Amino acid sequence: KAGVTQTPRYLIKTRGQQVTLSCSPISGHRSVSWYQQTPGQGLQFLFEYFSETQRNKGNFPGRFSGRQFSNSRSEMNVSTLELGDSALYLCASSLGDTGDYGYTFGSGTRLTVV
Amino acid sequence: GQNIDQPTEMTATEGAIVQINCTYQTSGFNGLFWYQQHAGEAPTFLSYNVLDGLEEKGRFSSFLSRSKGYSYLLLKELQMKDSASYLCAVRDWRQLTFGSGTQLTVLP
């Protein structure tokens, strides 16, 4: 079966712009989580959605937002981009809302802010 | 919040056994995961422990002691392709938090 699909794979944006990233989970998975990965900070939790509801949110500024659609696809938006937002953004899908079945990651979107 | 510690780097020889330790502090423990991540790739799921004890899966085993806030990942019969970052992640009632990862280098 198809894995977790993230688009686009690479993005280059200018400071001050906004960006939208997309994540399509494994078919049947209802939970989608987003993470930011940087060399200095590692993998940091952004937010988690389950059945279109944001369940949890990490310690990121309000410029980072997301949503989940009825088909479980999720989008993440970052407004007013800063240089420090350059990172690999990963999404992960899970069958349930507690992760008991493990989280499957997509290949990520590499965002570069110049 | 959560605090997860694991060694930054480890080196081992092909064919050997290596143990990667992870200690954590959390409230509302709801499971511990190990992931493998090769450079430039997505993390891939290795193991999940929610009860104390050892879970074995081929060349990989993971152990958990909830009372000690301790887990380890054991890799046997190391192969060159095992060179990667190994991430320990703990789930509480709220989120999955990752450690900084242990970069394992397997030498011939």
Side-chain angles (χ1 to χ4, degrees), chain A residues 6-75:
Chain A
Q6 290 189 247
T7 55
R9 287 296 308 276
Y10 301 93
L11 263 180
I12 299 176
K13 290 286 188 179
T14 305
R15 266 184 307 175
Q17 288 186 311
Q18 76 163 15
V19 67
T20 299
L21 312 181
S22 178
C23 173
S24 293
I26 291 173
S27 177
H29 284 197
R30 297 166 64 190
S31 174
V32 174
S33 306
W34 288 89
Y35 297 84
Q36 181 195 66
Q37 187 173 33
T38 59
Q41 299 295 321
L43 265 160
Q44 292 194 293
F45 173 74
L46 280 156
F47 24 68
E48 179 178 32
Y49 288 87
F50 181 77
S51 294
E52 301 180 65
T53 301
Q54 186 180 90
R55 296 288 295 267
N56 301 299
K57 191 176 192 304
N59 295 324
F60 279 81
R63 301 186 296 107
F64 291 81
S65 63
R67 59 178 175 169
Q68 186 180 34
F69 301 95
S70 59
N71 61 359
S72 294
R73 189 178 72 85
S74 177
E75 287 182 348

Side-chain angles (χ1 to χ4, degrees), chain B residues 5-108:
Chain B
D5 288 314
Q6 49 182 132
T8 304
E9 295 178 331
M10 297 185 71
T11 303
T13 305
E14 195 174 14
I17 298 173
V18 70
Q19 177 174 312
I20 302 174
N21 295 324
C22 171
T23 58
Y24 64 89
Q25 294 173 314
T26 185
S27 54
F29 177 83
N30 194 25
L32 186 143
F33 298 81
W34 283 96
Y35 280 85
Q36 179 193 61
Q37 187 177 26
H38 287 98
E41 298 182 11
T44 54
F45 172 77
L46 289 177
S47 69
Y48 170 63
N49 295 72
V50 66
L51 299 176
D52 291 353
L54 188 67
E55 294 282 341
E56 296 187 83
K57 216 185 253 188
R59 296 190 298 115
F60 295 78
S61 303
S62 58
F63 171 83
L64 174 67
S65 169
R66 289 172 297 170
S67 63
K68 295 182 179 178
Y70 169 69
S71 174
Y72 67 73
L73 179 69
L74 193 71
L75 293 78
K76 304 175 188 174
E77 301 169 14
L78 280 173
Q79 302 174 10
M80 299 298 289
K81 67 178 182 179
D82 297 330
S83 292
S85 180
Y86 291 85
L87 304 163
C88 171
V90 175
R91 168 122 193 154
D92 63 11
W93 62 271
R94 187 173 173 272
Q95 67 186 57
L96 185 66
T97 301
F98 283 83
S100 299
T102 298
Q103 184 63 46
L104 174 66
T105 301
V106 180
L107 302 174

